[in-house]
Protein backbone atom coordinates (compact mmCIF):
# COMPACT_ATOMS: atom_id res chain seq x y z
CA UNK A 1 0.00 0.00 0.00
CA UNK A 2 1.33 3.44 -0.97
CA UNK A 3 -0.01 6.94 -0.50
CA UNK A 4 0.89 9.42 -3.21
CA UNK A 5 1.24 12.54 -1.11
CA UNK A 6 1.35 16.23 -1.93
CA UNK A 7 2.87 17.45 1.32
CA UNK A 8 1.32 20.57 2.88
CA UNK A 9 -1.36 21.05 0.23
CA UNK A 10 -4.77 21.00 1.97
CA UNK A 11 -6.19 17.71 0.70
CA UNK A 12 -3.05 15.60 1.19
CA UNK A 13 -2.65 17.14 4.62
CA UNK A 14 -6.22 16.18 5.55
CA UNK A 15 -5.35 12.52 5.02
CA UNK A 16 -2.04 12.90 6.87
CA UNK A 17 -3.78 14.34 9.93
CA UNK A 18 -6.49 11.68 9.75
CA UNK A 19 -3.88 8.90 9.72
CA UNK A 20 -2.00 10.53 12.60
CA UNK A 21 -5.19 10.60 14.68
CA UNK A 22 -5.65 6.90 13.93
CA UNK A 23 -2.02 6.06 14.66
CA UNK A 24 -1.64 4.52 11.19
CA UNK A 25 1.59 4.61 9.21
CA UNK A 26 1.51 4.20 5.44
CA UNK A 27 4.38 4.27 2.97
CA UNK A 28 4.32 7.62 1.19
CA UNK A 29 5.37 8.54 -2.31
CA UNK A 30 6.22 12.27 -2.19
CA UNK A 31 4.96 14.24 -5.18
CA UNK A 32 6.31 17.75 -5.76
CA UNK A 33 3.20 19.70 -6.67
CA UNK A 34 5.25 22.87 -7.06
CA UNK A 35 6.94 21.17 -10.01
CA UNK A 36 3.56 19.91 -11.26
CA UNK A 37 4.38 16.36 -10.24
CA UNK A 38 0.68 15.66 -9.86
CA UNK A 39 0.39 16.01 -13.64
CA UNK A 40 3.00 13.33 -14.30
CA UNK A 41 2.16 10.24 -16.33
CA UNK A 42 2.43 8.08 -13.20
CA UNK A 43 -0.10 10.07 -11.19
CA UNK A 44 -2.37 10.58 -14.20
CA UNK A 45 -2.57 6.82 -14.69
CA UNK A 46 -3.75 6.44 -11.09
CA UNK A 47 -6.05 9.47 -11.10
CA UNK A 48 -6.99 11.00 -14.47
CA UNK A 49 -8.10 14.17 -12.66
CA UNK A 50 -4.42 14.69 -11.74
CA UNK A 51 -5.14 15.44 -8.10
CA UNK A 52 -3.66 14.26 -4.84
CA UNK A 53 -3.71 12.32 -2.63
CA UNK A 54 -4.06 8.88 -4.20
CA UNK A 55 -3.95 5.63 -2.24
CA UNK A 56 -2.60 2.66 -4.21
CA UNK A 57 -3.61 -0.67 -2.67
CA UNK A 58 -1.53 -3.83 -2.93
CA UNK A 59 -3.98 -5.31 -5.45
CA UNK A 60 -3.48 -2.33 -7.77
CA UNK A 61 -6.69 -0.49 -6.86
CA UNK A 62 -6.23 3.27 -6.84
CA UNK A 63 -8.44 5.32 -4.50
CA UNK A 64 -8.49 9.06 -4.88
CA UNK A 65 -10.61 11.77 -3.23
CA UNK A 66 -9.67 12.67 0.32
CA UNK A 67 -12.80 11.53 2.11
CA UNK A 68 -12.88 8.23 0.20
CA UNK A 69 -9.33 7.48 1.37
CA UNK A 70 -10.27 8.40 4.94
CA UNK A 71 -13.36 6.18 4.72
CA UNK A 72 -11.19 3.24 3.65
CA UNK A 73 -9.01 3.61 6.74
CA UNK A 74 -12.00 4.25 8.99
CA UNK A 75 -13.50 0.91 7.95
CA UNK A 76 -10.23 -0.91 8.58
CA UNK A 77 -9.47 0.91 11.84
CA UNK A 78 -12.73 2.09 13.43
CA UNK A 79 -11.07 3.34 16.62
CA UNK A 80 -10.96 6.15 17.39
CA UNK A 81 -14.10 6.92 15.37
CA UNK A 82 -13.50 9.98 13.22
CA UNK A 83 -16.49 9.53 10.90
CA UNK A 84 -19.21 8.72 13.42
CA UNK A 85 -20.39 5.76 15.46
CA UNK A 86 -24.08 4.86 15.03
CA UNK A 87 -26.39 5.82 12.15
CA UNK A 88 -27.37 9.19 13.64
CA UNK A 89 -23.83 10.17 14.56
CA UNK A 90 -22.45 9.16 11.17
CA UNK A 91 -25.08 11.29 9.44
CA UNK A 92 -24.29 14.33 11.62
CA UNK A 93 -20.55 13.97 11.04
CA UNK A 94 -21.15 13.60 7.29
CA UNK A 95 -23.39 16.67 7.28
CA UNK A 96 -20.77 18.83 8.97
CA UNK A 97 -17.91 17.31 6.99
CA UNK A 98 -19.60 18.31 3.75
CA UNK A 99 -20.41 21.76 5.08
CA UNK A 100 -16.79 22.34 6.04
CA UNK A 101 -15.59 21.12 2.66
CA UNK A 102 -18.13 22.76 0.37
CA UNK A 103 -18.75 26.04 2.19
CA UNK A 104 -15.46 26.78 3.93
CA UNK A 105 -12.50 24.92 2.41
CA UNK A 106 -13.78 25.47 -1.13
CA UNK A 107 -14.20 29.21 -0.56
CA UNK A 108 -10.70 29.54 0.89
CA UNK A 109 -9.24 27.45 -1.93
CA UNK A 110 -11.00 29.57 -4.57
CA UNK A 111 -9.63 32.74 -3.03
CA UNK A 112 -6.14 31.27 -3.15
CA UNK A 113 -6.31 29.67 -6.58
CA UNK A 114 -7.85 32.67 -8.32
CA UNK A 115 -5.93 35.49 -6.62
CA UNK A 116 -2.46 34.22 -5.74
CA UNK A 117 0.15 34.94 -8.45
CA UNK A 118 1.79 31.54 -7.89
CA UNK A 119 -1.40 29.82 -9.10
CA UNK A 120 -1.50 31.54 -12.49
CA UNK A 121 -0.13 28.45 -14.26
CA UNK A 122 -2.47 26.11 -12.38
CA UNK A 123 -5.82 27.85 -12.48
CA UNK A 124 -6.64 28.55 -16.10
CA UNK A 125 -8.43 30.86 -16.45
CA UNK A 126 -7.54 32.59 -13.20
CA UNK A 127 -10.45 34.91 -12.41
CA UNK A 128 -9.48 37.40 -9.72
CA UNK A 129 -13.04 38.62 -9.22
CA UNK A 130 -14.18 35.10 -8.34
CA UNK A 131 -11.36 34.76 -5.84
CA UNK A 132 -12.32 38.04 -4.20
CA UNK A 133 -15.97 37.01 -3.97
CA UNK A 134 -14.98 33.90 -2.02
CA UNK A 135 -13.15 35.75 0.76
CA UNK A 136 -16.36 37.10 2.39
CA UNK A 137 -18.03 33.73 1.74
CA UNK A 138 -15.43 32.00 3.91
CA UNK A 139 -15.75 34.58 6.68
CA UNK A 140 -19.54 34.48 6.51
CA UNK A 141 -19.46 30.74 7.05
CA UNK A 142 -17.24 31.19 10.09
CA UNK A 143 -19.74 33.71 11.50
CA UNK A 144 -22.38 30.99 11.36
CA UNK A 145 -20.02 28.40 12.78
CA UNK A 146 -19.20 30.64 15.72
CA UNK A 147 -22.80 30.38 16.87
CA UNK A 148 -22.76 26.61 16.51
CA UNK A 149 -19.55 26.30 18.50
CA UNK A 150 -21.10 28.21 21.37
CA UNK A 151 -23.11 25.04 22.04
CA UNK A 152 -20.48 22.32 21.66
CA UNK A 153 -16.76 21.68 21.81
CA UNK A 154 -16.18 20.41 18.30
CA UNK A 155 -17.80 20.99 14.93
CA UNK A 156 -19.97 17.87 14.76
CA UNK A 157 -20.51 17.37 18.49
CA UNK A 158 -18.54 16.67 21.64
CA UNK A 159 -15.92 14.52 19.90
CA UNK A 160 -13.16 15.37 17.41
CA UNK A 161 -13.99 14.17 13.87
CA UNK A 162 -13.00 14.50 10.24
CA UNK A 163 -15.07 17.71 10.14
CA UNK A 164 -12.59 19.29 12.56
CA UNK A 165 -9.67 18.14 10.41
CA UNK A 166 -11.13 19.80 7.31
CA UNK A 167 -12.01 22.94 9.28
CA UNK A 168 -8.57 23.28 10.83
CA UNK A 169 -6.76 22.86 7.53
CA UNK A 170 -9.09 25.31 5.79
CA UNK A 171 -8.46 27.79 8.62
CA UNK A 172 -4.69 27.37 8.24
CA UNK A 173 -5.04 27.90 4.49
CA UNK A 174 -6.64 31.30 5.07
CA UNK A 175 -3.14 32.79 5.50
CA UNK A 176 -1.82 32.01 2.00
CA UNK A 177 -5.28 32.87 0.65
CA UNK A 178 -4.86 36.28 2.31
CA UNK A 179 -8.04 36.08 4.35
CA UNK A 180 -7.76 37.81 7.69
CA UNK A 181 -8.25 35.63 10.77
CA UNK A 182 -11.54 36.44 12.51
CA UNK A 183 -10.14 37.07 16.00
CA UNK A 184 -13.50 38.50 17.09
CA UNK A 185 -15.18 35.09 16.67
CA UNK A 186 -14.31 33.83 20.14
CA UNK A 187 -15.87 30.39 19.78
CA UNK A 188 -14.16 29.72 16.46
CA UNK A 189 -10.83 30.87 17.87
CA UNK A 190 -11.27 28.69 20.98
CA UNK A 191 -12.04 25.69 18.76
CA UNK A 192 -9.10 26.43 16.44
CA UNK A 193 -6.69 26.72 19.35
CA UNK A 194 -7.85 23.33 20.64
CA UNK A 195 -7.64 21.42 17.35
CA UNK A 196 -4.38 23.03 16.20
CA UNK A 197 -2.77 22.08 19.52
CA UNK A 198 -3.33 18.37 18.96
CA UNK A 199 -0.20 16.33 18.10
CA UNK A 200 -1.73 15.33 14.76
CA UNK A 201 -1.80 18.97 13.65
CA UNK A 202 2.00 19.07 13.72
CA UNK A 203 2.61 16.19 11.30
Amino acid sequence: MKLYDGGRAPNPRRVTVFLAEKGIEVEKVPVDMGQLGHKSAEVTELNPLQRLPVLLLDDGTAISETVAICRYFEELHPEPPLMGTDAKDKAIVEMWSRRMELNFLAAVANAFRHCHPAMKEWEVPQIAQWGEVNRPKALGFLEMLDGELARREFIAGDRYTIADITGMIAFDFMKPARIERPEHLTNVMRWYQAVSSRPSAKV
Side-chain angles (χ1 to χ4, degrees):
M1 183 188 303
K2 295 179 181 179
L3 181 66
Y4 285 74
D5 178 59
R8 301 296 289 180
N11 285 324
R13 188 177 170 220
R14 288 163 71 194
V15 172
T16 297
V17 173
F18 190 93
L19 292 175
E21 285 285 337
K22 291 280 188 183
I24 300 170
E25 293 188 6
V26 177
E27 179 184 352
K28 288 188 176 182
V29 179
V31 179
D32 188 343
M33 297 182 72
Q35 296 298 316
L36 301 182
H38 56 295
K39 295 184 179 294
S40 68
E42 182 179 8
V43 173
T44 302
E45 184 176 353
L46 297 173
N47 181 6
L49 293 177
Q50 299 180 322
R51 294 173 185 165
L52 297 173
V54 179
L55 180 66
L56 181 63
L57 304 185
D58 292 338
D59 67 359
T61 301
I63 302 172
S64 57
E65 303 302 333
T66 300
V67 176
I69 293 170
C70 291
R71 170 60 66 190
Y72 177 80
F73 286 112
E74 179 87 353
E75 295 298 320
L76 291 179
H77 305 274
E79 296 295 332
L82 297 178
M83 302 182 82
T85 52
D86 58 20
K88 177 182 174 182
D89 191 48
K90 287 179 180 179
I92 291 171
V93 171
E94 178 71 12
M95 173 180 75
W96 278 105
S97 179
R98 287 181 62 79
R99 285 175 172 176
M100 300 310 294
E101 189 168 31
L102 298 176
N103 296 285
F104 184 33
L105 178 57
V108 176
N110 281 329
F112 176 74
R113 295 178 71 92
H114 286 276
C115 292
H116 201 288
M119 296 301 293
K120 189 175 182 179
E121 302 287 325
W122 289 36
E123 198 64 45
V124 180
Q126 190 180 52
I127 304 171
Q129 296 92 330
W130 175 236
E132 293 293 346
V133 162
N134 275 274
R135 289 195 170 105
K137 285 179 179 288
L139 292 171
F141 180 81
L142 289 179
E143 292 272 0
M144 180 278 294
L145 185 63
D146 193 67
E148 293 288 326
L149 288 170
R151 300 192 288 270
R152 56 184 180 270
E153 185 176 0
F154 296 106
I155 288 172
D158 296 325
R159 188 183 65 254
Y160 180 92
T161 69
I162 190 174
D164 298 289
I165 295 174
T166 299
M168 177 191 72
I169 289 169
F171 197 96
D172 285 343
F173 204 49
M174 289 170 65
K175 184 175 181 178
R178 299 171 184 170
I179 301 174
E180 188 173 350
R181 284 167 53 133
E183 301 288 348
H184 66 289
L185 299 179
T186 56
N187 299 311
V188 166
M189 297 309 298
R190 181 268 307 159
W191 160 83
Y192 175 74
Q193 178 61 34
V195 296
S196 63
S197 297
R198 297 171 74 91
S200 62
K202 308 299 188 292
V203 297

